[in-house]
Every structure is written in structure tokens, then in C-alpha cells.
């Protein structure tokens, strides 16, 4: 669905970073958030999220742990 570059690139976090992005998906549509490694292009494990009709966001208390390329998919 979308790919975003997150700044500052390659910054990591010891706790999950919640993510939200604009979207016109129907409320309740499940999505996955993944980050892409700066070093080898591999995708992280998927993080579950859901659309609310105006945006997509990660589930409460979950998120990505690296600011690089963010991939959002269905």
C-alpha cells in the first residue's frame, strides 16, 4: 500500500514505536507494518495494525523498533 522513509534513518529503539499513516481503507481492515533494513534490504517481522477509515495504525503497545523504510501492506 505505501512505503515511507522515516527520519533519522537507521535509529533504533528499545521499545516499540507506534505508527500511524493516512489511509482511506475501510474501518477494521487489517494491515501489517514492517521496516526495511538499511544494510541488506530485508524486511522485519510484521507488526499488526488496523484501519479506522481515516488512517492505519499499529495496535496499542506495539510498533516498529527501527526508523528506516516503513512498508505498510494488507
Amino acid at each position: 500500500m505505501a512505503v515511507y522513509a522515516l527520519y533519522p534513518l537507521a535509529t533504533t529503539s528499545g521499545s516499540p514505536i507506534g505508527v500511524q499513516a493516512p489511509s482511506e481503507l475501510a474501518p477494521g481492515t487489517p494491515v501489517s507494518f514492517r521496516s526495511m533494513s538499511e544494510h541488506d534490504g530485508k524486511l522485519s517481522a510484521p507488526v499488526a495494525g488496523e484501519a479506522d477509515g481515516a488512517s492505519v495504525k499499529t495496535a496499542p503497545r506495539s510498533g516498529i523498533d527501527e526508523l528506516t523504510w516503513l512498508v505498510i501492506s494488507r
Side-chain angles (χ1 to χ4, degrees), residues 2-55:
V3 176
Y4 296 92
L6 302 176
Y7 181 81
L9 285 173
T11 299
T12 59
S13 175
S15 59
I17 302 166
V19 179
Q20 181 173 339
S23 171
E24 295 180 359
L25 289 174
T29 302
V31 295
S32 293
F33 294 84
R34 294 174 180 242
S35 56
M36 186 183 306
S37 171
E38 275 270 298
H39 304 289
D40 59 14
K42 290 185 181 180
L43 293 173
S44 67
V47 175
E50 190 173 284
D52 64 11
S55 64

